[in-house]
Amino acid sequence: MIKDLILGFGMAIFSIVSLLESRNLVSANKWDVFGPDGFPKIVAYILLALSIILIVSSLRKVNPAKNKFSLTKLEVVVLLSIIAYVLLLPVIGFLIATALFILSIQLLLTYNLKKTMISMVITSLVVTGSVYIVFEKFLNVNLP
Amino acid sequence: MSVIGQAIAEVMSFSALFSMFAGTLVGIIAGAIPGFTILMAIILTLPFTFGMDPVVGIATMIGVYVGGFSGGLISGILLGIPGTPSSVCTVFDGHPMSLNGEPGRALSLGVLSSFFGGLIGALICILIAIPIARFGLKFGPWELFSLMLFALTLIASLGSSSMLKGLMGGMMGLLISTIGIDPIGGRLRFTFGFTELATGISFLPIMIGLFAVPQLLKSVKEIQEGKKKMLSGEAIDDIRINNSIHIPWIKTLKELYKYKLNLLRSGAIGALVGALPAAGGSTAVFIAYDQAQKFSKDPDSFGKGNPNGIIAAEAGNSGVAGGSMIPTIALGIPGSNVAAVMLGALMIHGITPGPMLIKNEPVLTYSIFIALIAAHFIMLALLGVGMKGLIRISNAPKYAVVPVVLSLCVAGSFALNNRLFDVWIFVAFGLIGYYLTSVGMPMAPIVLGLVLGPMVENNLRMAMMTNPDPTLFFTRPISLVFIVLTVVSLAFTMYQNYGKNRKKII
């Protein structure tokens, strides 16, 4: 299956990168048989081995299932909005960014625009407000 | 004895009780909203507990845990949609009973079964945890290492549909946990020049990202499907719940007494299955339901509104809360996903879980026991009084829930260290989690690897430093037992997968 193949390669790359990076680490010495590089290396090797098994077995698979990794447009938009939201946080501050975010996602997802408009706006404001208050006052967290 | 007294005092203090009330309420609400899992609720509660005393913090999280398991029954019974994965079996008999005109009876059966079942779980936990911990005190680094290895492979193999991917996930988690300062040597690892990584990646944003984002995007897909149906003229299941439901509490209590055997058995099953590191709420519930059906005089009526079905399902899933805390407290090995998060919470508060926990932090340990019991009473009270309101909440529209939860995730990730970097970690792992989930990799082993990683490594290195002889892992009896168990569980799973379906070894 193509999905597994990609996953296998991805993991293999991940483990190889880890191994390469761990060369930069100091090696073991007399007292510390493992050293800071020991454990990560072992784990990376295991992961590499597992990825190779995955790659091999997915190549051997008889059924060429076309399970593509499909993302619907809506999901992509949601994901991008999350990224945009986080990018905007330091710029326009938590209150405004969050209120806008909640409102826009609701707009994207709601069934019936006219009926729910008011409740959506109220929700955005109320939720943003309460989260802000709880975090700032009760937990002493300084949101951006 | 004075330790118990102190523990009671701490848990029963006003601030602790208030927090627990809030936590339990949050748990129930989270459970009542389909698409919002208990795991997400606990993960999101974590940031709130930072400023709290560890005892209060853990007690609150226990409240969420207990509340969560019970909240799922509301939408399960009334809407036929399980509020949490562990309420699936409650739907089997709860929903038909509700459709038959007895929603109140179903609801009360569910609530009371949750209450008693959960208490049984808590009781079993209290009785067994300490003796196990005493046994665990004999463990040296070899035993601890092998034990954690066993736990990791158990979760990877039994707890997921693809053993290979589960193991890979576990390894990935372990690797990520090594980022930061090496605990023994003190040198930086894998920081790639990011100063923020010097203290390691905090596992909270990773966890939030890995679990919440895929789950929420799933809800988005469901919304999309609902929209499509609407546009093509099909009716959506937009059921409005009639608010005038009468709940016969006393009558149900009597009914429960009649079926007390089922209640006790299901609660115990929940607790014992929950105590196994690989199995969580959903597994326990199915086993309890199945057993109840087998023991019943009228097995065919299951699935059509047999009260025993509801009792088994709810007692079973509530027993898990107490049961999963057994290995968590006694050995430092989480009994479920949620328990893994709680382990992480302990570590954030600077407490190292493990067999030493009871010795080092007796007040905390006993507080957990007391909180387990107290939470159930709180849950009963809240459900009893607030049922009408909760019914409304379970109607909460998905399109509102998704963005609200997302913003909570962002706020929560930020709150940990007051820095935006953690929020980006959340986003990054949210994307990674979404990708991995869609290719069939389970998230639980990754998180377990992340949480246990430091301890696994430490024990390995300490063992080797104390005595460079690697065969000790095999010659020390307890360690050997765990290693054998590890191999057995791997072999067993491979056999199961290979035997069942030759093509599907992966």
Side-chain angles (χ1 to χ4, degrees):
Chain A
M1 281 210 293
I2 307 211
K3 267 207 274 196
D4 284 350
L5 203 56
I6 300 181
L7 179 65
F9 272 114
M11 282 292 157
I13 295 177
F14 178 58
S15 45
I16 294 178
V17 167
S18 312
L19 282 171
L20 289 176
E21 180 66 22
S22 46
R23 284 187 193 236
N24 294 337
L25 297 173
V26 180
S27 239
N29 54 35
K30 227 189 342 185
W31 292 272
D32 188 2
V33 180
F34 265 90
D37 61 339
F39 185 67
K41 277 198 181 144
I42 298 180
V43 176
Y45 275 123
I46 298 180
L47 186 57
L48 187 58
L50 289 174
S51 338
I52 294 180
I53 297 180
L54 184 61
I55 295 177
V56 166
S57 77
S58 60
L59 284 173
R60 282 172 75 217
K61 274 241 169 97
V62 182
N63 49 352
K66 27 65 177 176
N67 292 334
K68 273 195 319 166
F69 169 56
S70 56
L71 262 185
T72 53
K73 240 192 341 187
L74 189 59
E75 290 171 317
V76 174
V77 174
V78 172
L79 284 171
L80 287 176
S81 331
I82 300 178
I83 298 182
Y85 171 41
V86 181
L87 277 171
L88 285 174
L89 271 179
V91 177
I92 51 179
F94 182 78
L95 281 174
I96 306 182
T98 310
L100 278 177
F101 176 70
I102 298 183
L103 188 58
S104 26
I105 300 285
Q106 286 189 93
L107 282 169
L108 272 175
L109 300 177
T110 188
Y111 288 138
N112 192 326
L113 197 57
K114 276 177 279 193
K115 254 202 264 179
T116 57
M117 192 55 162
I118 305 178
S119 74
M120 290 201 299
V121 174
I122 298 182
T123 316
S124 323
L125 295 173
V126 168
V127 170
T128 308
S130 7
V131 171
Y132 184 75
I133 296 179
V134 170
F135 273 94
E136 291 263 344
K137 300 302 173 204
F138 287 121
L139 304 173
N140 299 318
V141 172
N142 294 327
L143 297 166
Chain B
M1 278 301 129
S2 69
V3 170
I4 301 185
Q6 203 180 342
I8 297 183
E10 289 213 21
V11 175
M12 293 297 159
S13 72
F14 185 68
S15 61
L17 277 179
F18 180 70
S19 265
M20 276 184 72
F21 252 94
T24 314
L25 185 61
V26 166
I28 296 179
I29 294 180
I33 301 181
F36 199 146
T37 61
I38 307 177
L39 190 59
M40 268 166 56
I42 295 242
I43 293 180
L44 289 174
T45 315
L46 244 195
F48 288 92
T49 60
F50 290 156
M52 298 180 193
D53 192 55
V55 172
V56 178
I58 296 284
T60 312
M61 291 178 69
I62 291 185
V64 177
Y65 198 17
V66 168
F69 275 122
S70 317
L73 67 90
I74 301 181
S75 62
I77 291 177
L78 295 175
L79 294 174
I81 308 173
T84 65
S86 52
S87 344
V88 169
C89 292
T90 317
V91 179
F92 293 164
D93 283 280
H95 193 51
M97 188 183 277
S98 166
L99 291 174
N100 277 339
E102 296 191 283
R105 180 174 164 223
L107 285 172
S108 51
L109 273 172
V111 172
L112 288 171
S113 309
S114 278
F115 175 66
F116 286 112
L119 278 181
I120 295 177
L123 221 70
I124 296 185
C125 171
I126 298 178
L127 289 172
I128 306 190
I130 301 201
I132 296 189
R134 291 239 168 84
F135 176 59
L137 280 178
K138 301 199 183 117
F139 290 7
W142 298 266
E143 284 75 29
L144 285 173
F145 173 76
S146 312
L147 176 61
M148 292 188 201
L149 196 67
F150 174 51
L152 271 171
T153 51
L154 201 63
I155 294 231
S157 52
L158 295 181
S160 62
S161 52
S162 162
M163 186 176 85
L164 187 61
K165 291 181 187 163
L167 287 173
M168 286 171 73
M171 294 296 128
M172 194 175 120
L174 287 176
L175 266 180
I176 299 179
S177 75
T178 58
I179 299 180
I181 301 184
D182 162 27
I184 297 187
R187 275 168 275 255
L188 290 178
R189 294 192 289 192
F190 298 123
T191 54
F192 297 106
F194 280 103
T195 36
E196 292 96 340
L197 288 180
T199 41
I201 303 190
S202 355
F203 76 92
L204 183 67
I206 298 184
M207 238 182 355
I208 299 183
L210 286 179
F211 282 113
V213 175
Q215 178 71 37
L216 290 169
L217 282 173
K218 192 167 124 196
S219 295
V220 171
K221 263 213 173 100
E222 284 165 12
I223 295 180
Q224 245 194 329
E225 257 141 57
K227 267 191 185 171
K228 266 198 239 165
K229 274 198 201 162
M230 221 176 93
L231 291 175
S232 70
E234 276 177 55
I236 328 174
D237 320 303
D238 188 23
I239 309 169
R240 292 285 151 216
I241 302 182
N242 182 336
N243 268 340
S244 57
I245 297 183
H246 167 65
I247 306 189
W249 293 111
I250 310 284
K251 210 162 142 214
T252 308
L253 265 176
K254 293 191 188 143
E255 204 176 350
L256 267 180
Y257 186 72
K258 197 165 86 171
Y259 299 124
K260 54 186 178 296
L261 198 57
N262 181 5
L263 187 63
L264 288 170
R265 180 187 58 235
S266 305
I269 293 180
L272 293 172
V273 175
L276 297 174
S282 350
T283 322
V285 153
F286 273 101
I287 299 182
Y289 187 79
D290 181 61
Q291 288 301 301
Q293 197 172 16
K294 290 207 170 93
F295 273 91
S296 156
K297 301 195 181 95
D298 187 13
D300 290 325
S301 66
F302 269 67
K304 304 201 187 104
N306 185 330
N308 277 310
I310 304 181
I311 296 177
E314 281 301 313
N317 76 21
S318 295
V320 172
S324 63
M325 294 307 283
I326 299 178
T328 316
I329 303 177
L331 299 170
I333 308 286
S336 69
N337 275 355
V338 174
V341 178
M342 292 220 229
L343 267 187
L346 279 174
M347 301 209 294
I348 291 188
H349 282 283
I351 301 176
T352 324
M356 301 295 279
L357 186 67
I358 298 209
K359 199 155 154 232
N360 293 340
E361 300 275 347
V363 180
L364 180 66
T365 318
Y366 282 102
S367 308
I368 296 181
F369 295 150
I370 297 179
L372 267 174
I373 300 184
H376 283 94
F377 282 94
I378 298 179
M379 177 263 290
L380 184 64
L382 283 172
L383 277 171
V385 172
M387 186 57 87
K388 302 273 161 76
L390 290 168
I391 295 179
R392 290 197 141 208
I393 291 182
S394 60
N395 262 335
K398 282 206 180 103
Y399 65 77
V401 172
V402 171
V404 169
V405 173
L406 279 173
S407 51
L408 279 174
C409 292
V410 167
S413 311
F414 181 81
L416 177 59
N417 285 321
N418 254 323
R419 54 184 190 184
L420 213 52
F421 181 73
D422 288 337
V423 185
W424 286 115
I425 299 274
F426 154 68
V427 175
F429 276 90
L431 295 168
I432 295 177
Y434 181 59
Y435 166 64
L436 288 177
T437 312
S438 62
V439 292
M441 179 177 283
M443 298 290 107
I446 306 182
V447 169
L448 201 59
L450 208 49
V451 171
L452 289 181
M455 291 196 279
V456 175
E457 180 178 14
N458 269 357
N459 281 306
L460 182 63
R461 290 165 73 170
M462 293 243 284
M464 296 302 274
M465 287 204 286
T466 317
N467 189 333
D469 178 12
T471 63
L472 267 178
F473 285 99
F474 300 96
T475 50
R476 288 174 69 111
I478 303 182
S479 174
L480 180 63
V481 166
F482 286 126
I483 295 191
V484 166
L485 282 172
T486 308
V487 173
V488 164
S489 77
L490 286 173
F492 181 64
T493 319
M494 277 204 289
Y495 170 69
Q496 262 198 330
N497 287 341
Y498 197 59
K500 246 196 271 180
N501 184 349
R502 301 219 129 189
K503 288 189 203 143
K504 272 176 87 177
I505 194 174
I506 300 305

